[in-house]
Amino acid sequence: MDVMAARMSILPLPPEQAGGPGSRAASRPMALSALLHMAALVPLLAAIALIGPQALAALPPVLLACACLAYGRLAAFFSGKRGAGEASWMAECLPFAAYACLQGTSLDVGSCLVLLASTAAMAAGLVSLEGLLFPRYRGFALALGYCAVLAGLALSLAWTITADSSDPGRQLAIPAIAGTSGLLLAFITRYAATRRRR
Amino acid sequence: MMRCAPSRKAAVAAACALAFAAALPIPLVPAGTGTAGTVLRLSGGSFEPYRFAHARLECEAGIRGHVDAVGTDWNGGERLLYEARYDAWTMAIDLVFYVDEGLKGIEIEADTGSGRQGLNIDLATLALAKAVPDEAELDRRASLRDLPLPFSSPKQARLPAAFRLDASGLSDAASQIAASCFCLDPQTGVLAVLAIFIMSASTLAAMWRRMPPRASLVLTLGLSLLATAAVAVVIPREPRIIIAELPRPKGEGPLPISGDYALDPAVPDGSPVVRYSTSDPGGLSFLAVSTPGKEGIPLSVLEGREGSLVFSSPPSVVARSGSLELHFERWTTGWMSWQHE
């Protein structure tokens, strides 16, 4: 079965088609793989550079980070990666998220990085949850659903932080709680997935 | 960027109400808390709108710790006016904050020897205790109130060494100056870091594809964290204030304003102040401020000429390591007016 057809029909995939060592991606020449990877990351950098600081400043840093991570999730979908491959793609988007956040916000670097880490932890928790709930399924709807849930979490986090801007403690305490919850979710779902495999 | 002050009608109405109320015999008693001898007392300070007010805060029990002053606007909004931290005991400290016509009251709080103390100042009541402003003062306030504050639109470009201004009025002049010299340096360093990261990540992803996914993830995450740290270090976060003096008007009314501007060579490289001077300055300067981080602009930059100032978003004064800094919103425009000696 063709890989794209399998994605669209949300059917379970054999492991060799799931981006693993024996997959079609692994048989590509190394230079072509590197070029394709580069071609996926360059548009993200170009978009952030072209949007400019003024437009970026209009959005909360958490939402900017979420947008970059969602881009990574979609790139993982189009390159046929699941699980650790998804997380790798999203991790690669972190420096771009930092660039977008620091360019727009007037927050100090430390606070900005805390927000970024919280969003990344929430995204990691969601990836693990997705891996637990849909271990062998893939599809564009699943990727979009993931992005929508992450955006919803980021929006609610941004709203909670700015709801009472007079309290500076909220700026760090709430993202820290959200990030810790994301990490806990990641660990619990990984543990549950391991137990289920046994 | 929205201006925080209330509408002009509200400000004029408030000024008229103050003028009428000036005849009423209301005593001035700033509200303080605490027992006798431990209350905060404020002395000095002219509290004239569109200037920085310097006042002295005293407490016999001593002050040490966090001190802040929060202003309440006529429209009910609150804004930080002054913030400082004192690590040693002192009986008196000097407060500096920016006052404009939108400010209705000030609430000062300080950590003292007898706990956290507060002091409320009603600027309207304070104004009543003083003489009614004369015609010149009212003219000064009206002219500052009417100055146009354009929507600032910084672009990523190098600062021009010179530019020509041909404006039909003050509003046009402000827009032209902002468009010409309100620039943020191109972020070549960050772009270079990210370009190197893209090449490294792509090469390594191609090399690591035969590795176990978990090991590949750990290596990718490490590389990404390294690149994120490099972005945070390299990205420019220094504040910048651009000051361009307008040429002297040739007559009355909204006449065309034109002149050649050149970057002032006296300002050293790396300074947050960028000055553009013209051959015949007329006592009015346009300001554009960019503060991408938590660092502020030294207060001395704007207080040097003891002029009047108006901002699209009022700044707060923060005392940090012995010096006073002005903290603005991300991008702010303003005007500075002063009389020639």
Side-chain angles (χ1 to χ4, degrees):
Chain A
M1 185 184 292
D2 185 61
V3 175
M4 283 306 289
R7 279 178 201 147
M8 296 305 170
S9 60
I10 318 184
L11 288 173
L13 280 180
E16 63 271 15
Q17 288 189 11
S23 70
R24 186 177 294 179
S27 63
R28 273 192 212 119
M30 193 183 286
L32 181 62
S33 290
L35 271 178
L36 286 174
H37 205 96
M38 207 179 288
L41 289 177
V42 167
L44 183 58
L45 176 60
I48 296 168
L50 288 175
I51 287 169
Q54 189 139 35
L56 291 171
L59 294 170
V62 184
L63 206 60
L64 289 174
C66 158
C68 291
L69 294 172
Y71 182 89
R73 173 67 182 86
L74 291 175
F77 164 74
F78 284 112
S79 63
K81 302 277 186 186
R82 283 300 308 266
E86 276 176 354
S88 287
W89 266 106
M90 290 167 78
E92 282 183 26
C93 292
L94 277 177
F96 303 95
Y99 175 42
C101 294
L102 288 169
Q103 208 184 8
T105 184
S106 57
L107 289 173
D108 59 303
V109 174
S111 305
C112 205
L113 291 181
V114 166
L115 290 178
L116 189 63
S118 304
T119 317
M122 287 194 311
L126 278 181
V127 162
S128 294
L129 187 65
E130 186 192 314
L132 178 72
L133 296 178
F134 310 101
R136 294 173 64 85
Y137 291 87
R138 68 178 65 202
F140 192 55
L142 190 62
L144 277 185
Y146 175 90
C147 295
V149 172
L150 185 61
L153 283 175
L155 271 175
S156 56
L157 180 59
W159 181 80
T160 318
I161 293 169
T162 53
D164 183 9
S165 56
S166 62
D167 182 5
R170 294 172 75 97
Q171 308 289 328
L172 290 179
I174 293 171
I177 292 168
T180 312
S181 308
L183 281 181
L184 273 176
L185 178 67
F187 284 123
I188 291 167
T189 47
R190 292 304 302 164
Y191 175 72
T194 313
R195 294 260 308 175
R196 194 166 67 178
R197 274 200 293 272
R198 282 179 196 157
Chain B
M1 201 176 298
M2 295 296 294
R3 197 174 164 185
C4 288
S7 68
R8 286 177 184 164
K9 280 184 181 174
V12 170
C16 290
L18 281 178
F20 282 119
L24 299 174
I26 301 171
L28 169 66
V29 184
T33 57
T35 55
T38 64
V39 291
L40 294 173
R41 287 191 309 276
L42 195 72
S43 56
S46 62
F47 300 102
E48 284 178 9
Y50 306 115
R51 291 190 202 278
F52 285 98
H54 292 252
R56 195 163 184 77
L57 184 71
E58 293 169 285
C59 180
E60 284 177 20
I63 299 170
R64 193 180 80 165
H66 195 248
V67 177
D68 58 35
V70 176
T72 309
D73 289 331
W74 286 97
N75 61 7
E78 288 192 343
R79 55 174 141 132
L80 183 67
L81 298 176
Y82 178 85
E83 188 176 34
R85 180 164 185 84
Y86 295 87
D87 294 326
W89 285 106
T90 177
M91 297 290 281
I93 57 171
D94 293 321
L95 302 183
V96 186
F97 39 82
Y98 175 73
V99 179
D100 63 16
E101 286 184 300
L103 200 61
K104 180 175 177 283
I106 301 170
E107 186 180 345
I108 300 168
E109 286 194 349
D111 291 329
T112 69
S114 51
R116 186 92 175 149
Q117 297 286 328
L119 174 66
N120 291 314
I121 298 161
D122 188 350
L123 288 183
T125 313
L126 206 60
L128 294 176
K130 297 183 175 181
V132 176
D134 59 14
E135 196 69 26
E137 174 62 14
L138 290 175
D139 283 348
R140 182 187 73 89
R141 294 181 192 181
S143 63
L144 287 159
R145 196 186 305 135
D146 292 340
L147 283 171
L149 290 160
F151 180 74
S152 60
S153 176
K155 57 182 179 183
Q156 286 202 333
R158 296 258 174 238
L159 283 165
F163 66 92
R164 168 96 189 147
L165 178 72
D166 281 310
S168 57
L170 279 177
S171 181
D172 191 22
S175 298
Q176 282 193 29
I177 293 170
S180 299
C181 63
F182 195 13
C183 301
L184 305 173
D185 287 334
Q187 296 173 340
T188 44
V190 184
L191 292 176
V193 165
L194 288 173
I196 292 168
F197 170 72
I198 288 176
M199 284 190 283
S200 314
S202 303
T203 309
L204 293 175
M207 287 166 65
W208 291 339
R209 62 196 164 147
R210 289 184 179 86
M211 284 177 69
R214 199 166 292 178
S216 167
L217 170 62
V218 170
L219 291 171
T220 307
L221 192 60
L223 183 68
S224 298
L225 291 179
L226 199 66
T228 305
V231 166
V233 169
V234 171
I235 199 163
R237 304 279 289 167
E238 292 82 23
R240 175 180 281 176
I241 179 165
I242 294 157
I243 304 174
E245 298 181 4
L246 260 64
R248 188 185 300 276
K250 301 290 188 290
E252 296 294 322
L255 293 169
I257 300 167
S258 59
D260 289 308
Y261 282 86
L263 197 58
D264 191 345
V267 178
D269 281 347
S271 165
V273 187
V274 176
R275 280 185 201 279
Y276 281 93
S277 49
T278 186
S279 55
D280 186 20
L284 185 65
S285 290
F286 176 72
L287 315 169
V289 189
S290 164
T291 48
K294 282 289 177 191
E295 281 185 56
I297 304 280
L299 176 67
S300 54
V301 170
L302 294 182
E303 273 211 316
R305 282 171 158 164
E306 295 183 354
S308 305
L309 297 133
V310 62
F311 300 101
S312 60
S313 177
S316 55
V317 179
V318 176
R320 187 174 286 172
S321 57
S323 63
L324 294 171
E325 287 181 351
L326 289 172
H327 285 228
F328 292 88
E329 273 193 5
R330 182 75 167 88
W331 293 294
T332 303
T333 55
W335 292 92
M336 178 164 59
S337 148
W338 71 95
Q339 297 294 320
H340 281 282
E341 292 83 9

